Each structure stands twice: as structure tokens, then as C-alpha cells.
Amino acid sequence: CAGLGIRLWRRMTGQIHQSRIDGSIVLLELDNPPMNALGPAMLRQAEAALHEIEHDTSVRALVLTGRGRAFCSGADLKAFAADGPEQAARDIEHFNRVLELVARCRAPTIAAVNGHCLGGGFELALCCDLRIASTEAKFVCAGVNVGLMASTYRLPRLIGLSRAKAMLLTGAAHDAATALAWGLVTELQTPDQLLPAALHLARRVASRAPLSVEASKRVADRAFDLSPAEADELIAREMAVLRASHDHQEALSAFLAKREPVFGRR
């Protein structure tokens, strides 16, 4: 009975499956049927995994997806409400901290949006560096549907103010074809090919010079907030480090020898 109780508890609270692919790629799969909402237990799992990834420099790419028919519906509001208002407020803060860990992750992040992507789950996808989607995916800015607000900062920066407002103010579902046309995702795949395509993309990212990839991500993330002079200064600092790196010298040697470079984050 005790074992059954543990299994039932895990099923009720959900879990995050973590896999290591090819040594340098981490796959995180959200598993909390039916919509992969993130309750307190899953948030703790996510936070621990993201801290581990941040400090493990052998990880060069992270793929995030959902199991079943949904990518993620965001915070598990039912679970939070059961904790009482004060704890629920702390749970929402915890959810936001996890979002920031994804957004600021050292390793490039890829969202493989396999199905319904709603509310805070939509924000989770926006926090990733790259997004690809199943042809069956649906995207909903659900804040106005539940008396809340989400994605008002990241979405306009990604797809422009007019299109963002069309999503933010209506709370309507938008299909995968619209997401592709609006630049919300960069490619569509059939459901059975989505994860292989995401891992293929991750392998490409992971095969590039790691210090260069990380620097490119840092600078691109700040691009909309810097003046031209500030951007020039930041780029100059990053380039000085990259020019002195072993990986840059390896790239030059490989080019002259007409071979593929072998990068080592040095």
C-alpha cells in the first residue's frame, strides 16, 4: 500500500523526466497529465535541474518539451490554491523564478512545443532561445481568460506589438501555421518528427564553439535594451575574450587544414 501511495502521489503531482543525449544535450520532458501544469513539486524538480545544467559546462544545449497532448499550461493554479493564499503567492514567485532560470540559462534552450501551449506555459516557451512546434500545437495567451496577465513583455519583443496584442487582448487560440507566419516558432514538424527535429537542432548548436554560442546568446538577449554605443562596447569585450580562446585558434587551424574543428570550451 505504501508503494502504491507513492506512485499515486507522483502521478498526482507530476514529474519531469531528465535525459542526457549524446553527452552534451539535456532533454527535459514535462509529465503531468492532462495539460502538464507545473505544481510545487515539479517546480522544485525544474529548479534543481536548471541549476545543475547551469553549472555543468559539458551541457551545450537544453531541449524542453511535454509528454502527451500538451506542452504546458503554466502554473498549477488548483494546487497553488489548495496551499492557501500566502503560500500560493510564494508558489507563483517560485514559478517566475523558474521562468527566469530558463531565460538566463547559460546553455541555449529549445522549446519543442508538442501540443497546447497556454498561459504560463506559453511564457515558458517564450523564455527559450528557439522554438519549434508540432503541426498540432495551439498557442494561447490565457491571462485575460483567467483575470491575470502574462507574456506582455517577451511576446511584443518577439513578434511585434500589433500581433502580440492580437494574442494578449483576445485570449484566443492561435494555430501552429499562424505561429510560424508570425515568427513565434521557426519550423513546424509532424508530431512524430518534432522531438527528432528538436534534437537535431540541439546537436547542431552543441557542435558549435561553446564560448562563442554563449557570448552570442548573451549579446543577442540584450540587443533591444542597448544603445549602439553600448552594444559596440559589449561586443568589443566579448570579442576580446573570443579572439584569445583556444576554440578560435582551433577553428583557424581546422580551416587551414580543411577539417572539421573540435571545440572544447576553452
Side-chain angles (χ1 to χ4, degrees):
C1 292
L4 177 60
I6 291 172
R7 287 196 295 273
L8 288 174
W9 173 249
R10 286 177 178 171
R11 186 175 179 182
M12 290 171 61
T13 58
Q15 59 184 313
I16 297 176
H17 304 276
Q18 182 172 339
S19 308
R20 194 69 174 247
I21 311 293
D22 296 345
S24 61
I25 298 165
V26 171
L27 171 64
L28 297 181
E29 298 173 277
L30 309 181
D31 185 9
N32 187 20
M35 299 300 288
N36 293 330
L38 294 171
M42 289 183 72
L43 288 174
R44 288 192 293 271
Q45 292 176 53
E47 186 172 29
L50 289 164
H51 279 303
E52 181 182 335
I53 290 165
E54 186 67 23
H55 294 97
D56 183 351
T57 56
S58 70
V59 178
R60 298 188 184 180
L62 167 64
V63 176
L64 182 63
T65 193
R67 289 191 173 183
R69 66 187 182 93
F71 173 72
C72 182
S73 61
D76 190 340
L77 299 181
K78 289 183 180 179
F80 291 175
D83 290 338
E86 292 185 1
Q87 182 58 46
R90 288 192 289 270
D91 289 336
I92 292 296
E93 290 177 1
H94 192 187
F95 181 81
N96 290 332
R97 289 201 307 273
V98 169
L99 291 179
E100 282 302 309
L101 286 173
V102 174
R104 299 180 185 277
C105 185
R106 172 193 55 77
T109 52
I110 300 168
V113 183
N114 56 297
H116 290 83
C117 184
L118 318 172
F122 184 81
E123 185 76 3
L124 176 62
L126 293 180
C127 288
C128 293
D129 299 304
L130 303 171
R131 285 158 300 280
I132 67 174
S134 160
T135 51
E136 303 300 315
K138 300 289 184 184
F139 299 84
V140 183
C141 287
V144 295
N145 297 339
V146 295
L148 296 173
M149 182 175 68
S151 307
T152 54
Y153 178 75
R154 291 185 175 93
L155 186 61
R157 292 159 69 90
L158 181 64
I159 65 173
L161 185 59
S162 180
R163 288 170 171 168
K165 284 183 177 179
M167 299 187 75
L168 291 166
L169 304 184
T170 66
H174 289 70
D175 62 19
T178 301
L180 180 64
W182 286 5
L184 182 57
V185 300
T186 54
E187 64 178 275
L188 301 182
Q189 296 287 341
T190 58
D192 63 317
Q193 288 300 309
L194 177 64
L195 187 53
L199 293 176
H200 177 77
L201 180 58
R203 288 185 179 101
R204 172 66 189 187
V205 171
S207 71
R208 301 302 89 194
L211 293 177
S212 177
V213 168
E214 293 171 20
S216 296
K217 173 176 174 169
R218 284 194 298 270
V219 175
D221 281 345
R222 296 187 61 190
F224 289 98
D225 301 318
L226 301 177
S227 69
E230 290 169 333
D232 287 344
E233 181 180 351
L234 176 59
I235 291 169
R237 290 201 304 269
E238 295 281 8
M239 285 292 288
V241 174
L242 294 176
R243 279 195 298 268
S245 70
H246 177 274
D247 280 349
H248 176 56
Q249 299 306 315
E250 164 64 11
L252 294 178
S253 297
F255 175 77
L256 294 174
K258 295 182 172 56
R259 60 174 175 83
E260 285 296 313
V262 180
F263 297 119
R265 202 176 185 275
R266 292 182 289 154

